[in-house]
């Protein structure tokens, strides 16, 4: 929130970050925020039964590397993953 307030006061050195969660599904939803440029944005979307993995492409094939993303406007895509599926995969290992 603090960085968001700074961005509101900035005179142009800002960037927009948009996340489309569950692209191409009935659960698709966009989230957007404006922050000062050169600031990392850590995005955490989850609920009690699922979490999201961030990608740079709508097909959710290219994982997002947050340390590379600090300068320009960014549009990311978040795919929903089930905690239950994750736990089952861990049990199989």
């Amino acid at each position: 929130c603090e960085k968001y307030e700074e961005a509101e006061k900035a005179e142009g050195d800002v960037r927009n970050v948009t996340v489309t969660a569950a692209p191409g599904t009935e659960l698709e939803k966009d989230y957007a925020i404006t922050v000062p440029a050169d600031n990392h944005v850590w995005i955490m979307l989850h609920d009690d039964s699922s979490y999201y993995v961030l990608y740079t492409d709508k097909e959710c094939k290219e994982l997002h590397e947050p340390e590379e993303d600090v300068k320009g406007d960014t549009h990311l895509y978040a795919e929903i993953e089930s905690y239950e599926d994750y736990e089952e995969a861990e049990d199989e290992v």
Side-chain angles (χ1 to χ4, degrees):
C1 290
E2 187 177 298
K3 297 295 182 190
Y4 180 75
E5 290 171 8
E6 289 176 26
E8 285 186 321
K9 296 175 187 172
E11 290 191 23
D13 198 16
V14 296
R15 67 192 192 105
N16 299 300
V17 178
T18 303
V19 176
T20 299
T25 72
E26 63 186 37
L27 300 175
E28 183 174 310
K29 183 173 182 177
D30 288 328
Y31 300 89
I33 188 168
T34 300
V35 297
D38 295 332
N39 278 273
H40 286 281
V41 176
W42 297 101
I43 300 165
M44 297 170 32
L45 301 171
H46 65 88
D47 60 29
D48 291 340
S49 62
S50 62
Y51 62 97
Y52 293 79
V53 177
L54 293 174
Y55 297 89
T56 58
D57 61 313
K58 191 172 186 172
E59 294 75 28
C60 297
K61 303 250 187 255
E62 297 292 323
L63 281 173
H64 170 63
E65 300 294 338
E67 53 279 345
E68 295 176 9
D69 171 36
V70 295
K71 298 279 184 200
D73 293 347
T74 304
H75 193 139
L76 301 173
Y77 301 88
E79 189 170 67
I80 300 170
E81 298 287 336
S82 165
Y83 282 121
E84 186 176 297
D85 291 344
Y86 176 78
E87 290 167 358
E88 287 175 8
E90 286 289 306
D91 289 343
E92 292 176 9
V93 173

